[in-house]
Amino acid sequence: MPSKQALVKTLDFQLEIQSGNENLLYGACIESRRVYNETIRLAKNGVDWDMIPDRVAADVDLVKNTTQRVVAKALGAMENYYEYDNFDQPSHTKDGIYPLRANYEEGYNLFLTDDGDVAFRISAKPYQHVEGLLKGSDAHLDILKVGLESDEWEIGTAEVLFHNDSPELHVNVTNTDQTVRDKQDSQTVVGVDVNEDNVALTAFSEDGIKDTIVIEFPEIKFERHRYFTIRKRVQNAGKRSVHDTLEDQEERFVRDRLHKVSRHIVKWSRQFEDPCIVFEDLKEIRDSLDYGTRMNRRLHHLPFRALQHYTSYKAGFEGIPTAWINPEYTSQECPMCGHTERTNRNKKRFKCRDCGHQDHADRGASVNIAAKGIKNHQEWTVPALNSLPTVRTVRRQASGAVDAPTVTHDTVRGYQTDGITGVSD
Ligand SMILES: [Zn+2]
């Protein structure tokens, strides 16, 4: 029997504080750190763990459930500490702030306003509240609004933390009627290689490669470069507000397109039996790309993770699990013979220095990502490959998109409007 797990998500918001007491939140996070450190200190001094919550709560300046949450978190850390037997490690108490953890409707509350915004009220300290509006992506705000109006999403605990000195609220929500299959119970594994102007997908089953495809989206790359140049110009001219407006426009444009691409990935994946979608964990910037300048780095960075995130999120809605693998060598290894060498890859061409196998480099990477996904998460083994199917390329080209500046490039090669827009070899 495949076990199921509920779909849990963390939604991130910025806090627009309207009650004029921003320092209160910061102070509460400092107090939260003190509670954490005190819990660790008592635990290390051999105080019975059952006694610690009351001992700590005796002289703390936080609401009760917040104190309990922080104590529980600290004791959880102590449990790990014992489990890994690293007694010689320096104490993991620290200075500074610690996230303020709160139960919904106890430590914090959320409301829909008449204007359709989501308002918050956080009990930062006993009888002292911080109030204002949540700011964040439409996707996250939408989930919260659904949760406030129906039972579909259950709103759970939240954390107040500070990111670049700005207060944020991270809210945990659970989808009550959607479950995601365990990734270990998959019949098909889809490797996804995300690049600046395309994604390559390869679906493996126990019998071999089911299908493979490259979805191109050159306009995202093009528009990002174009916006970058325009923004730089207005920035040099000292037009800060124009610069910021352009940045917002660019972000909306890119997000809109990435949402469409992510839908495409999920749609393609769900045609297979019990799929699991596998991504590279891109915490480290991939070594396979040439990051010559700061501009390059900025240009490359955003869409990768956003696209993975959107895809994983939409897949979850379909009950499709996602998995993450280490990106090391995925673009340099030959999927046929396993030979690994940096020079195997030259931009979009892959040619194995050992066996001579040639391929679209991104598609090859997606084969390797799928294979790693199988090795890491499935009980079946990676099937032997004698040859790879021909690469099919699909180009996405939207027309008349909202918020997008007129796209003048590539209209001849582009196919048609929304959806799957054309097929070529
Ligand atoms: Zn080879």
Side-chain angles (χ1 to χ4, degrees), residues 333-339 344 350-357:
E333 182 176 338
C334 174
M336 306 308 288
C337 74
H339 178 71
N344 277 350
F350 182 96
K351 184 172 184 192
C352 179
R353 302 274 155 200
D354 194 10
C355 75
H357 166 70

Side-chain angles (χ1 to χ4, degrees), residues 103-357:
N103 289 344
Y104 184 53
E105 291 180 328
E106 287 186 275
Y108 80 105
N109 226 326
L110 301 172
F111 316 90
L112 266 180
T113 70
D114 293 341
D115 295 334
D117 291 319
V118 179
F120 66 86
R121 176 184 161 104
I122 298 165
S123 306
K125 297 203 168 183
Y127 311 108
Q128 298 182 68
H129 309 292
V130 178
E131 295 174 334
L133 296 178
L134 295 185
K135 298 286 163 188
S137 72
D138 288 344
H140 283 188
L141 281 167
D142 283 349
I143 292 177
L144 216 48
K145 288 174 193 171
V146 169
L148 286 168
E149 290 188 317
S150 74
D151 297 336
E152 195 180 327
W153 286 94
E154 190 179 292
I155 300 172
T157 57
E159 285 189 352
V160 177
L161 36 84
F162 283 79
H163 186 242
N164 298 332
D165 292 332
S166 302
E168 293 189 353
L169 189 71
H170 293 189
V171 182
N172 292 313
V173 292
T174 307
N175 191 309
T176 47
D177 57 15
Q178 181 58 266
T179 54
V180 177
R181 183 169 33 78
D182 265 358
K183 60 177 177 244
Q184 289 85 350
D185 298 323
S186 302
Q187 305 292 320
T188 315
V189 170
V190 177
V192 182
D193 184 57
V194 182
N195 300 287
E196 195 186 2
D197 51 4
N198 75 33
V199 286
L201 311 176
T202 296
F204 262 104
S205 77
E206 221 170 338
D207 308 326
I209 291 180
K210 306 296 285 182
D211 199 3
T212 181
I213 193 173
V214 174
I215 304 169
E216 294 185 334
F217 40 83
E219 63 174 347
I220 297 181
K221 178 179 176 180
F222 179 89
E223 288 304 325
R224 297 190 76 223
H225 280 263
R226 203 170 73 88
Y227 268 115
F228 185 88
T229 314
I230 303 171
R231 272 190 288 113
K232 204 157 180 185
R233 214 180 297 140
V234 300
Q235 189 171 25
N236 291 343
K239 294 174 184 161
R240 187 73 223 169
S241 63
V242 180
H243 172 273
D244 290 352
T245 308
L246 286 166
E247 203 164 70
D248 287 349
Q249 272 181 19
E250 178 195 346
E251 195 174 308
R252 279 203 302 274
F253 172 83
V254 172
R255 285 187 195 285
D256 174 73
R257 294 309 146 85
L258 293 178
H259 274 296
K260 292 192 167 89
V261 174
S262 66
R263 273 198 284 276
H264 196 154
I265 297 171
V266 173
K267 202 171 158 190
W268 190 83
S269 302
R270 76 177 178 208
Q271 67 179 305
F272 305 107
E273 198 182 347
D274 291 346
C276 173
I277 299 178
V278 181
F279 300 106
E280 293 178 299
D281 190 346
L282 292 170
K283 288 199 185 88
E284 303 281 325
I285 293 176
R286 337 177 20 158
D287 50 7
S288 59
L289 288 164
D290 177 20
Y291 296 99
T293 64
R294 221 173 74 83
M295 165 178 158
N296 270 345
R297 207 170 305 131
R298 198 200 152 274
L299 280 171
H300 284 108
H301 208 61
L302 174 113
F304 288 153
R305 301 198 66 181
L307 184 59
Q308 292 179 332
H309 173 77
Y310 295 161
T311 306
S312 167
Y313 166 74
K314 289 185 176 67
F317 276 114
E318 311 252 350
I320 298 172
T322 43
W324 304 80
I325 54 101
N326 183 335
E328 204 174 21
Y329 307 125
T330 50
S331 58
Q332 299 164 21
E333 182 176 338
C334 174
M336 306 308 288
C337 74
H339 178 71
T340 301
E341 196 174 313
R342 182 179 280 270
T343 54
N344 277 350
R345 182 185 177 129
N346 183 10
K347 299 207 171 104
K348 295 290 182 198
R349 295 307 312 167
F350 182 96
K351 184 172 184 192
C352 179
R353 302 274 155 200
D354 194 10
C355 75
H357 166 70

Side-chain angles (χ1 to χ4, degrees), residues 391-406:
V391 180
R392 247 183 339 123
T393 303
V394 170
R395 177 170 296 230
R396 294 200 62 92
Q397 182 102 3
S399 66
V402 262
D403 293 325
T406 314

